[in-house]
Amino acid sequence: MKSVAILISGGGSNMLALLDDMAKGDHPARPVCVISNDPGAGGLARAAERGLAVDAVDHRKYRGDRPAFEAELTRRLKAHQPDILCLAGFMRILTDGFVARWEGRMLNIHPSLLPKYRGLHTHARAIEAGDEEGGCSVHEVTSELDGGPILGQARVPIVPGDTPEALAARVLSAEHRLYPAVLRRFAAGDRTPVLL
Ligand code: GAR
C-alpha cells in the first residue's frame, strides 16, 4: 500500500476526486496528508472535514526564497512519510532540488493536452488557436515545467462560442475522472498512459 501526500493551492476539487477514489476498498494507495502553500486554501477545510491531516506552509513568509520554502515543506511532508506526491492545483514552481528529491514519485495535473500550452491561461490559448479539442494531462514532474512523461490524458470538445470559463469547467470534470484513474495505475506500479 502506497502513501500519498497531496499538495494544493486552492479549492482542491481534484484533491477531493483523489480522496474519493482512495476511499474505495480496492485502491492500492491511501492518503496521508494534504498540504497547501496558502493557509486560506478552501481545500484544506474540505480535507480536514474528511479526517485528513492538513497543514500549510505559507510561501509569502519566504519572500521568494524557494529553497527555504521547500525545506520547510519537506520537513512537514517527512512527518507523514509519503511514497507519492500528487500536485493538485498546486501553483508554485518547484526548484530542481525539490524535483530531484521526488523524481519518479511526483505527479501533476495540467489543464491542457500537453505538450500544447504549458504554463498558464491554457483554455484561452486553445480557443484563440482555433483548436477543436481541449483537455488535461497528468504527468510525472521533472525539472522541465509541465514537461515530464505523460501518464494520462482526457480530451473534451471545444464548441463554437466557447469561453475560457466554459471550457475550464468542461476540462475540470474530465480532470476529476483522469487523475484518480492515473493515480490508481501509478500506485500499482503501472505507468501505461490512461487515455480518456
Ligand atoms: C485545475 O484545473 C488544475 O488542472 C489546475 O488548477 C486547477 C485546480 O483546481 N492546475 C494548474 O493550472 C497547474 N499549473 P482544483 O483546486 O479545484 O483541483
Side-chain angles (χ1 to χ4, degrees):
M1 178 73 82
K2 298 285 187 190
S3 302
V4 176
I6 305 174
L7 299 188
I8 63 168
S9 296
S13 69
N14 276 292
M15 168 207 74
L16 288 178
L18 293 174
L19 294 181
D20 282 347
D21 199 45
M22 284 189 273
K24 295 174 190 157
D26 63 338
H27 205 289
R30 69 188 173 98
V32 289
C33 64
V34 173
I35 304 182
S36 177
N37 61 295
D38 177 0
L44 286 178
R46 297 165 91 184
E49 276 167 20
R50 291 170 184 233
L52 257 284
V54 297
D55 205 347
V57 181
D58 188 345
H59 70 276
R60 289 164 296 204
K61 291 189 177 160
Y62 295 85
R63 299 178 177 279
D65 185 347
R66 288 185 196 274
F69 164 70
E70 291 171 354
E72 184 58 19
L73 185 58
T74 299
R75 200 177 71 76
R76 308 281 182 98
L77 281 167
K78 268 190 181 161
H80 302 280
Q81 297 279 313
D83 301 304
I84 298 170
L85 204 48
C86 285
L87 309 184
F90 186 68
M91 304 306 277
R92 304 306 300 165
I93 290 174
L94 297 164
T95 67
D96 288 354
F98 188 88
V99 171
R101 176 185 285 273
W102 288 95
E103 191 184 347
R105 302 187 292 148
M106 178 159 51
L107 311 185
N108 179 45
I109 187 152
H110 181 75
S112 79
L113 294 171
L114 291 171
K116 278 189 160 183
Y117 313 128
R118 296 174 180 176
L120 299 175
H121 311 301
T122 54
H123 306 303
R125 288 155 69 199
I127 291 169
E128 178 73 15
D131 292 356
E132 292 182 350
E133 258 185 344
C136 50
S137 308
V138 176
H139 63 95
E140 272 182 53
V141 178
T142 63
S143 54
E144 193 184 349
L145 182 69
D146 299 327
I150 290 172
L151 297 168
Q153 289 190 313
R155 296 170 178 276
V156 304
I158 296 179
V159 298
D162 242 344
T163 60
E165 294 72 26
L167 179 56
R170 199 174 308 125
V171 170
L172 193 61
S173 298
E175 293 184 40
H176 298 160
R177 294 191 298 276
L178 179 67
Y179 210 171
V182 171
L183 179 60
R184 240 177 209 270
R185 244 183 221 191
F186 187 82
D190 181 354
R191 292 174 189 217
T192 316
V194 175
L195 300 175
L196 300 180

